[in-house]
Amino acid sequence: MLNLSGVTRRYGDTVALKDLNLIVPEDTYMSLLGASGSGKTTLLRLIAGFEEPDAGQLWLDGERLDGKAPHKRDIGFVFQNFALFPHLSVQENVEFGLKHRETAACTDPRELADRAAEALQLVGLDGFGHRGVGEISGGQKQRVALARTLVTEPRIVLLDEPLGALDANLRNRMCDELRAIRERLKVSFLHVTGSETEALTMGDTVAVLSDGKIAQADGSTKLFTRPQNAAAARHLNAWNLLGGTARGGALETPAGSFQLPRTLADGTQGQIALRFDQLGVSDPDSVPGGHSHFTARYVTGEFNGPTALAFFRAPDGALIQVVDHLGEPRLPELTEGRTYALHYAPEDALLFEGAAT
Ligand code: ADP
Ligand code: MG
């Protein structure tokens, strides 16, 4: 188990990580979701030992990590750009880590070759050892980078946006493979990404990094359906957030007045969260019974293949998104510029305390 406690890392005036706590359990695939510049790479570099925290502690299996040299930590790191040695063959790239490690370095050519072959087989690159790094595709380079890490039998594997450099089709395939490889090895993977779909697809658990802290770490379904705070909800790109002030059992917002799903003292600021796929659209005079609603003007639609997004503007200019699934369409024909009622089952609305940011 990896345990980060109160970890802070500053660069001059920039506070990249601020009193961060995170637990990565044994034998798990964890995604770490965060926007660009949120400190994802910094977090991985601290775990690997390429950097040290300004405050806080890191533990792996009950052993203190911070202060230890990187090569003594038994941690695997798959870099964002693969970082393969261009002048070495695939096999030599994989052997490199074994040959040059501080403890239990392997020098026997036969053993090196066997272990490299085994690692290449694990990532589906059987027989590619003799190829030059320039003679393989992007997806294959990704696998070599993974094999080079796995061959050293790390206690945990850190992957920094490992699918970022791959095209969309390949990305989907690598998602499945990464999960399958990890399940065979039983070692935990911590996979950093800026993509909410990738984070939710990959992770048994997803941790959301926001403002230098973990906003929420939970199973993907739970995180998606029940984010605990506005920061987590914002990162999922599936929730509309409407900020306002509580008054008489409702949240008064510039987009309208929303019945509060739970009590909030008058004058307290809060945000109502409504999921893109839980908003219905109708004419203002035909809102389904039992549903709450507010009105907004239809701006435009966007077709994404299996889903279609509809964009609305609330009276205050806030952008509201509604998603429709083409297999089971539920939205009426929409006319640009017209005002519609956006309605929802009251029990689907979430309330987060605190002002909108
Ligand atoms: P991410 O990987 O999520 O995009 P990073 O961890 O690379 O984010 O960066 C987090 C923040 O720390 C950013 O504001 C970045 O500019 C800053 N930062 C990262 N590394 C350094 C560094 N070596 N020197 C100064 N600032 C840095
Ligand atoms: Mg990064």
Side-chain angles (χ1 to χ4, degrees):
M1 182 175 87
L2 175 70
N3 191 342
L4 277 60
S5 165
V7 169
T8 297
R9 178 70 173 119
R10 295 183 204 91
Y11 299 104
D13 291 338
T14 308
V15 186
L17 303 173
K18 188 166 58 189
D19 199 16
L20 174 143
N21 300 309
L22 176 67
I23 288 179
V24 184
E26 294 290 300
D27 193 8
T28 201
Y29 205 119
M30 185 182 272
S31 309
L32 181 77
L33 172 64
S36 173
S38 62
K40 302 184 295 298
T41 298
T42 301
L43 184 64
L44 295 191
R45 291 175 58 82
L46 286 169
I47 299 169
F50 304 137
E51 289 184 44
E52 288 293 336
D54 293 303
Q57 302 185 349
L58 294 88
W59 298 81
L60 183 58
D61 305 331
E63 186 187 304
R64 187 85 179 259
L65 275 186
D66 43 301
K68 237 183 183 184
H71 59 266
K72 294 197 169 140
R73 296 190 185 195
D74 291 331
I75 288 174
F77 202 121
V78 178
F79 295 93
Q80 199 165 358
N81 49 7
F82 313 145
L84 300 178
F85 300 112
H87 56 288
L88 299 183
S89 71
V90 165
Q91 178 172 334
E92 287 163 338
N93 264 281
V94 177
E95 289 175 351
F96 189 89
L98 273 181
K99 244 191 218 166
H100 296 277
R101 73 174 167 188
E102 175 120 334
T103 45
C106 173
T107 47
D108 173 28
R110 180 80 186 274
E111 191 192 341
L112 278 171
D114 283 351
R115 290 179 66 176
E118 205 179 303
L120 285 169
Q121 187 177 27
L122 184 67
V123 300
L125 283 182
D126 229 351
F128 278 74
H130 64 281
R131 296 247 192 138
V133 165
E135 299 168 335
I136 57 174
S137 71
Q140 290 165 337
K141 283 187 186 138
Q142 178 63 77
R143 287 164 216 243
V144 177
L146 188 61
R148 187 178 57 176
T149 302
L150 298 180
V151 77
T152 62
E153 298 177 341
R155 291 191 283 173
I156 183 168
V157 178
L158 313 175
L159 303 109
D160 196 358
E161 308 204 28
L163 309 176
L166 308 181
D167 64 51
N169 281 333
L170 198 53
R171 209 176 299 149
N172 290 340
R173 229 176 46 228
M174 269 316 276
C175 277
D176 295 341
E177 287 197 25
L178 279 174
R179 282 192 60 90
I181 291 167
R182 196 212 70 74
E183 270 161 34
R184 263 175 266 152
L185 290 172
K186 307 278 176 228
V187 64
S188 288
F189 277 22
L190 179 61
H191 172 141
V192 153
T193 175
S195 151
E196 65 283 351
T197 43
E198 187 177 313
L200 292 166
T201 311
M202 297 307 296
D204 301 320
T205 315
V206 181
V208 179
L209 180 61
S210 176
D211 261 337
K213 285 187 165 59
I214 302 300
Q216 184 174 356
D218 248 318
S220 10
T221 310
K222 182 156 178 226
L223 174 72
F224 188 77
T225 55
R226 280 283 178 268
Q228 267 165 11
N229 46 55
R234 211 175 303 115
H235 280 78
L236 297 171
N237 195 25
W239 290 86
N240 297 292
L241 291 167
L242 297 146
T245 309
R247 209 160 315 281
L251 192 75
E252 306 288 350
T253 83
S257 178
F258 294 82
Q259 192 194 324
L260 285 171
R262 57 187 163 84
T263 7
L264 197 57
D266 277 3
T268 309
Q269 295 200 297
Q271 293 183 74
I272 287 280
L274 301 167
R275 216 168 77 199
F276 297 175
D277 61 324
Q278 290 179 328
L279 277 176
V281 181
S282 71
D283 278 326
D285 55 9
S286 53
V287 175
H291 272 208
S292 304
H293 79 281
F294 60 108
T295 56
R297 190 169 44 81
Y298 177 59
V299 185
T300 188
E302 189 185 290
F303 176 68
N304 288 335
T307 58
L309 270 174
F311 296 96
F312 294 83
R313 288 245 178 245
D316 67 321
L319 188 70
I320 311 289
Q321 299 187 55
V322 180
V323 73
D324 204 11
H325 297 275
L326 295 194
E328 230 175 305
R330 31 177 213 100
L331 300 191
E333 191 80 19
L334 297 169
T335 309
E336 286 181 14
R338 256 190 71 184
T339 295
Y340 292 88
L342 304 186
H343 58 83
Y344 57 94
E347 64 271 20
D348 287 338
L350 301 184
L351 172 68
F352 303 127
E353 279 184 52
T357 49

